[in-house]
Amino acid sequence: MVLYAASLPASVKYITFMKVESASYLKIRFDLLFSIYALFLVAVIVRYLWILSHLLRGKDPETSDSTKVSSGL
């Protein structure tokens, strides 16, 4: 989690730098294509902070049971 958080500013800087380039075939700017990685980093950091907060409060985070039928949400 610490490494993801440490890499976030450099990743965002690189993504904003890539606005000068575009994909040759799709004609889409690379900053738009690479922005999903920044969203991934934020989601991973939030998820692991949530798990850490549960562990510090003494609660065991819910584990998913692959044998149990559910909606997947």
Side-chain angles (χ1 to χ4, degrees):
M1 181 180 70
V2 172
L3 292 176
Y4 277 129
S7 72
L8 186 61
S11 297
V12 170
K13 186 185 273 189
Y14 182 73
I15 290 169
T16 57
F17 166 74
M18 289 305 291
K19 70 181 172 187
V20 297
E21 295 285 330
S22 65
S24 61
Y25 184 72
L26 297 174
K27 305 295 184 207
I28 299 173
R29 290 186 347 219
F30 276 130
D31 63 335
L32 297 175
L33 293 175
F34 292 162
S35 63
I36 193 68
Y37 182 69
L39 292 174
F40 166 76
L41 280 178
V42 170
V44 168
I45 292 168
V46 168
R47 172 154 172 78
Y48 280 104
L49 284 174
W50 180 76
I51 290 172
L52 181 64
S53 70
H54 276 275
L55 290 174
L56 291 176
R57 284 189 262 148
K59 297 180 181 178
D60 190 22
E62 295 180 20
T63 57
S64 60
D65 186 8
S66 62
T67 61
K68 186 177 175 183
V69 177
S70 65
S71 68
L73 297 175

